[in-house]
Amino acid sequence: MEQISFRRNEVIFRQGDPADCMYAVRSGAVGVVLDYGGPDETKLTELRAGQYLGEMGLLDSAPRSAAAVSLSDDTVLERIAESDFQAFFDENPELLLSMLQQMSSRLRRITRDYAGACRTVADVVEAEKAGQDFSAALRHRIAKTLAGYESAAPADGADE
């Protein structure tokens, strides 16, 4: 296992890359981003010290489902290679529980957001069928849902 330092906006891995390792965030911040650099770029979450990224690919041998980008100049990650994965958790079983709790929390958030988005779309479809305009409450729900998935890149180098 090695520690790697990243500067702000440096790509750690890209969506679609093979998953040959995971990372433990030691300091700084990492953005997990869909379609990084594209017109539909969406920041899914921000990770800080004590959190993990890239573990899904090691568990299911699938390519990276999103990109990871350093959000600060002081980001330090511990790289845990696939060959060290089992040993890492054998030596630190409490960290396995922590990683699973983090994954569960992310899944709960995504499930909640997905259900809310489905409800919102259903309400929009019903409003259109009835020939109604979008209500202020519906517009507020749409804005609230979208606010959780803002762009990953800070504007003009502004701090987040």
Side-chain angles (χ1 to χ4, degrees), residues 83 99 107 129 145 157:
S83 58
M99 184 186 77
L107 182 57
K129 281 182 184 177
T145 298

Side-chain angles (χ1 to χ4, degrees), residues 109-124:
R109 176 181 174 236
I110 289 169
T111 300
R112 182 193 69 235
D113 291 350
Y114 176 75
C118 288
R119 252 189 330 274
T120 299
V121 168
D123 289 349
V124 168

Side-chain angles (χ1 to χ4, degrees), residues 13 19 21-23 52-59 64 106:
F13 56 76
C21 67
M22 64 175 270
Y23 297 90
Y52 299 92
L53 64 147
E55 71 282 358
M56 285 177 21
L58 289 184
L59 294 171
R64 303 288 190 196
R106 288 183 213 158

Side-chain angles (χ1 to χ4, degrees), residues 17-82:
D17 282 354
D20 62 348
C21 67
M22 64 175 270
Y23 297 90
V25 181
R26 296 299 176 217
S27 66
V30 174
V32 179
V33 185
L34 280 178
D35 301 317
Y36 181 69
D40 295 326
E41 179 176 296
T42 305
K43 184 169 86 174
L44 299 176
T45 193
E46 186 172 312
L47 304 173
R48 300 218 174 250
Q51 294 183 294
Y52 299 92
L53 64 147
E55 71 282 358
M56 285 177 21
L58 289 184
L59 294 171
D60 66 9
S61 301
R64 303 288 190 196
S65 60
V69 181
S70 175
L71 298 178
S72 61
D73 283 330
D74 64 344
T75 299
V76 177
L77 306 179
E78 183 174 359
R79 183 181 186 278
I80 303 161
E82 187 173 20

